[in-house]
Amino acid sequence: MQLLNQAVVTEHLNMQAAIDAIEAMLHQQAAHPEWVKAPERLVIETFSEDDKHSSGSHLSMPATIYDGEKEYTAVKLVTICPDNPSRDMPTTTALITVSDNDTGAILAIMDGIYITQVRTAALSGIATKYMAKPDCQSVAVVGCGGMAYEQLHAVLTVRPEIKTVYLWNRSNEGAEQFKTRFERDYSQWKVDISICKDINDAICDADIINVATRATEGLFDSQHIKSEVHINAVGAYQPSMKEISNEVIANSDMVVVDDLVGSRHEAGDLIQAHDSEDCTWTWSDLSGDLQALVTKEIVKSEPGITLFKSVGAASFDAAVALYVAKQAKQKAFGAAVDW
């Protein structure tokens, strides 16, 4: 068994590999639905009645994947701690196990923080690849927390022609830290990064908007965005949360989710839009899911606003974690431990 800490996972997992692993899994799942099994994740609210802690959640996310030769199980355990940034710790902590279903042997135990960030970003990268217009020149980052960092990386990976990045964060300090870190760690991307104090200044000229916040109401309206903008929304992961306004959702020509089942229970933006008497959008207007997009069952045919809403699913984590586990075994990285 290989023990893979965050430093090892970060060293051996790149964005393109994550994108490729998830796309391959989606094609495989479309061709052989029984090869990928991922029950709806279990979510337990934490500190819901504690005045000293912000309410968070704990998630258990199992999935099995058969690759045509062997079957594996990946299980991710996640704890979301909203107070952690004040402790200089990541909001999301996670651990993933990968095991061989033939023998039950655990092949790897790995840190799941980076995998969660990368696989979430990879989903947005895939959506951007198929939904955003091909000549994008700019991207806006709305919310500069931990998830936003790799989100930008993913968009630049599939749209390397982008030259301008606009940042908006509720605290200017967070945006400054984001800019410094991104320019340091991803110097290969020759982009001009600007910090905007007004959210509308950040989004008005953007061809792509990445949104990753814990907002509880829509952050902008369609009058402030381009008519052909593509939006990746990865925050608002609970029904009570919302970062994309009903008006933007209703005016989107194409709305795609990563997981059909999970989105019905967790995609706060879409749940509230559907439930609102003042919004014309309903679940029947949903264009489809990421699998349908990748397999071209659905195709963007007309110019207009496109929206990708991500809530996450265990199958995506499993695809990326299995790739890392196989690489660890093949290349013998990490710490080998007898179990």
Side-chain angles (χ1 to χ4, degrees):
M1 183 185 70
Q2 301 299 112
L3 289 179
L4 311 172
N5 63 19
Q6 187 173 6
V8 171
V9 173
T10 302
E11 179 182 356
H12 294 278
L13 174 63
N14 63 64
M15 185 60 67
Q16 189 61 59
I19 288 173
D20 292 344
I22 292 173
E23 283 210 61
M25 184 273 292
L26 290 171
H27 280 288
Q28 186 181 64
Q29 189 175 32
H32 306 280
E34 72 281 3
W35 285 16
V36 180
K37 301 172 185 176
E40 188 174 356
R41 61 191 179 186
L42 173 65
V43 181
I44 303 173
E45 189 175 4
T46 60
F47 292 116
S48 57
E49 297 183 3
D50 189 304
D51 295 335
K52 298 179 181 178
H53 303 84
S54 297
S55 176
S57 54
H58 177 79
L59 298 77
S60 300
M61 303 172 63
T64 63
I65 291 182
Y66 178 63
D67 64 4
E69 297 181 359
K70 302 188 71 173
E71 185 180 80
Y72 304 87
T73 291
V75 180
K76 186 172 80 167
L77 300 176
V78 186
T79 304
I80 299 175
C81 308
D83 296 327
N84 267 2
S86 65
R87 306 178 180 115
D88 197 25
M89 296 174 65
T91 300
T92 302
T93 65
L95 185 72
I96 300 175
T97 64
V98 178
S99 57
D100 181 339
N101 283 357
D102 187 34
T103 64
I106 297 177
L107 305 179
I109 297 178
M110 65 188 76
D111 176 86
I113 296 176
Y114 188 64
I115 285 181
T116 300
Q117 292 174 343
V118 170
R119 76 90 161 123
T120 302
L123 298 177
S124 292
I126 294 168
T128 300
K129 174 181 172 182
Y130 290 95
M131 297 174 74
K133 62 181 186 178
D135 58 344
C136 295
Q137 296 295 309
S138 57
V139 56
V141 175
V142 175
C144 296
M147 286 296 177
Y149 193 71
E150 294 303 331
Q151 290 286 316
L152 178 56
H153 182 194
V155 166
L156 293 177
T157 298
V158 299
R159 288 288 190 269
E161 69 276 5
I162 287 175
K163 302 300 181 186
T164 305
V165 176
Y166 303 103
L167 304 179
W168 178 85
N169 194 61
R170 289 193 184 279
S171 73
N172 194 65
E173 181 183 4
E176 292 283 1
Q177 291 174 348
F178 182 101
K179 178 180 179 179
T180 299
R181 182 184 171 199
F182 198 87
E183 289 177 336
R184 178 196 67 203
D185 293 349
Y186 291 120
S187 58
Q188 72 269 30
W189 300 113
K190 305 303 180 183
V191 293
D192 177 48
I193 302 179
S194 301
I195 297 174
C196 303
K197 292 184 178 181
D198 188 316
I199 187 172
N200 293 327
D201 292 337
I203 63 176
C204 64
D205 291 324
D207 297 311
I208 299 168
I209 303 174
N210 287 347
V211 191
T213 73
R214 288 172 53 84
T216 55
E217 59 182 26
L219 296 171
F220 52 84
D221 294 319
S222 56
Q223 64 177 331
H224 295 116
I225 58 180
K226 285 187 172 182
S227 60
E228 294 183 51
V229 70
H230 171 66
I231 303 168
N232 294 309
V234 304
Y237 53 85
Q238 294 178 354
S240 60
M241 295 179 177
K242 187 173 184 63
E243 55 188 7
I244 307 302
S245 69
N246 288 350
E247 193 259 355
V248 169
I249 295 171
N251 281 290
S252 294
D253 294 83
M254 191 177 192
V255 179
V256 172
V257 296
D258 58 345
D259 180 62
L260 290 173
V261 175
S263 63
R264 293 268 184 159
H265 301 290
E266 299 176 28
D269 314 90
L270 302 183
I271 291 170
Q272 293 181 46
H274 171 85
D275 292 343
S276 174
E277 295 181 355
D278 299 324
C279 182
T280 59
W281 190 91
T282 68
W283 286 109
S284 63
D285 296 312
L286 186 70
S287 303
D289 63 2
L290 203 61
Q291 177 180 296
L293 195 66
V294 167
T295 58
K296 298 186 178 180
E297 181 182 335
I298 56 173
V299 179
K300 180 185 177 183
S301 57
E302 299 293 335
I305 298 171
T306 56
L307 171 63
F308 172 64
K309 176 61 186 178
S310 175
V311 296
S315 57
F316 303 129
D317 295 290
V320 178
L322 182 56
Y323 165 80
V324 174
K326 287 182 175 180
Q327 290 292 304
K329 181 178 180 180
Q330 178 183 343
K331 299 178 181 178
F333 58 76
V337 177
D338 291 329
W339 192 259

